[in-house]
Amino acid sequence: MSSFVIKSIGNALNATSYISPKYASNKALQLFATPRKGSYTDAQKAIIEDAEQSSFSYKNLSISVYNWKGKGKTLLLAHGWESNAARWNYLLNDLKSQDYNIVALDAPAHGNSEGKQFNAVLYSEFINVVAKAFQPEVFIGHSVGGMASIFCLHNHDLPSVKKLITLGAPAHFTGVFSRYKQMMGYNKRISNGLDNIVLERFGQKTDYFSAANFTKNFEVEGLIIHDKKDKIIPYEDALLFANRYKKGELLTTVGFGHGLKDKSITPKLIEFINR
């Protein structure tokens, strides 16, 4: 959406908040949680067609899973916002060359998985279901897929997982939420209303959902990959992880942006998995 459209929607909801702040806040959250992209294009369908496809479920929602079988370590790949399992195409051949058993899933309301709205807590439960089925040694998560992977490890006992790789992951939900509020230009009625809805639905305030804080006591080894020029998730988030994740190490890139789809990173990623 253009900045004009974004501001127009924000202004309309701000005006509505004077009449019904709860309605306006609910609409604002719906807008935040509803992906506009993430369905498979024909080209992306070709990427996953050679994988063994299966379906799992969580609370009556179908989870689509793709498995490129190998005899080596099992890797579980979690994509980010408005994406799907095909985003790993740039990495797949190199991972296959190592004979890894590669498992990828589609997030809620993305790809072929069910759901109308997305949040990282729900995504973490999807990841947990798949992890219980495949017993991966390594989690790899891009952006909010990295955050959801951390939430999953924080909330569930997954002894098979020994290593965690995050790429451009947000360190805390408050930062993501604050940037959304600022982008839309929401007033205090909507801003406070959004925080209250999170508390009502998840039983915790927004600042509780800090992936960086959750990693403090992780025994899982971590590799935090982040680009200094990431315009979506600021590099400061990577520094928060590096400061709090005792068993995590930071790999900084420059110029690869938020997507981090650069072949030069792959050997370092594989080295971390294999050591």
Side-chain angles (χ1 to χ4, degrees):
M1 288 187 288
S2 68
S3 58
F4 173 77
V5 172
I6 289 170
K7 291 299 182 184
S8 297
I9 294 172
N11 289 337
L13 287 176
N14 284 340
T16 303
S17 73
Y18 286 93
I19 303 168
S20 178
K22 190 163 187 177
Y23 174 84
S25 297
N26 277 314
K27 283 295 182 182
L29 186 63
Q30 182 181 357
L31 186 62
F32 173 76
T34 305
R36 292 171 291 115
K37 296 185 293 183
S39 297
Y40 282 96
T41 64
D42 288 340
Q44 289 174 331
K45 288 176 183 176
I47 294 168
I48 59 170
E49 67 181 4
D50 63 335
E52 181 178 286
Q53 301 188 25
S54 56
S55 180
F56 296 83
S57 65
Y58 176 76
K59 290 188 174 180
N60 297 319
L61 293 175
S62 175
I63 308 167
S64 290
V65 178
Y66 313 90
N67 183 199
W68 293 268
K69 292 189 175 183
K71 296 178 181 177
K73 293 180 178 179
T74 298
L75 318 180
L76 178 54
L77 281 53
H79 67 79
W81 173 249
E82 292 187 336
S83 185
N84 54 53
R87 76 93 54 200
W88 302 108
N89 183 43
Y90 76 101
L91 199 55
L92 283 175
N93 285 336
D94 290 312
L95 297 182
K96 289 176 183 177
S97 72
Q98 298 289 313
D99 201 25
Y100 296 138
N101 186 40
I102 307 161
V103 180
L105 76 156
D106 289 331
H110 289 74
N112 293 317
S113 288
E114 292 181 340
K116 294 182 179 179
Q117 292 191 348
F118 170 92
N119 65 70
V121 175
L122 178 59
Y123 195 5
S124 74
E125 296 300 332
F126 273 35
I127 293 169
N128 179 54
V129 169
V130 179
K132 290 282 175 63
F134 287 90
Q135 299 291 307
E137 286 96 337
V138 183
F139 273 1
I140 304 177
H142 175 248
S143 192
V144 73
M147 173 182 267
S149 296
I150 292 169
F151 286 3
C152 178
L153 289 170
H154 175 72
N155 290 321
H156 299 283
D157 182 25
L158 296 169
S160 71
V161 182
K162 307 299 181 186
K163 295 183 179 180
L164 166 69
I165 300 171
T166 63
L167 302 106
H172 46 84
F173 179 66
T174 50
V176 175
F177 224 24
S178 294
R179 287 188 290 273
Y180 168 65
K181 294 173 183 177
Q182 185 176 10
M183 178 185 73
M184 300 300 296
Y186 290 140
N187 60 26
K188 286 187 178 180
R189 287 180 178 82
I190 294 180
S191 181
N192 292 337
L194 285 168
D195 291 339
N196 289 334
I197 293 171
V198 170
L199 179 59
E200 289 171 7
R201 291 190 183 180
F202 301 104
Q204 299 284 355
K205 294 182 179 180
T206 54
D207 58 5
Y208 167 80
F209 297 98
S210 169
N213 283 345
F214 290 164
T215 61
K216 280 182 179 180
N217 299 315
F218 274 13
E219 292 299 319
V220 173
E221 293 181 58
L223 179 61
I224 307 144
I225 306 174
H226 213 112
D227 195 85
K228 273 195 171 181
K229 297 186 178 181
D230 191 326
K231 294 181 179 178
I232 306 299
I233 305 298
Y235 181 67
E236 286 74 14
D237 283 38
L239 298 180
L240 274 174
F241 276 122
N243 179 257
R244 299 176 189 180
Y245 194 167
K246 294 175 183 177
K247 291 202 171 184
E249 58 186 79
L250 175 61
L251 172 60
T252 300
T253 65
V254 181
F256 300 155
H258 184 59
L260 291 164
K261 291 183 179 181
D262 193 274
K263 286 285 188 180
S264 66
I265 301 173
T266 306
K268 297 171 185 177
L269 188 148
I270 290 173
E271 179 187 354
F272 175 76
I273 294 170
N274 289 344
R275 74 184 186 197

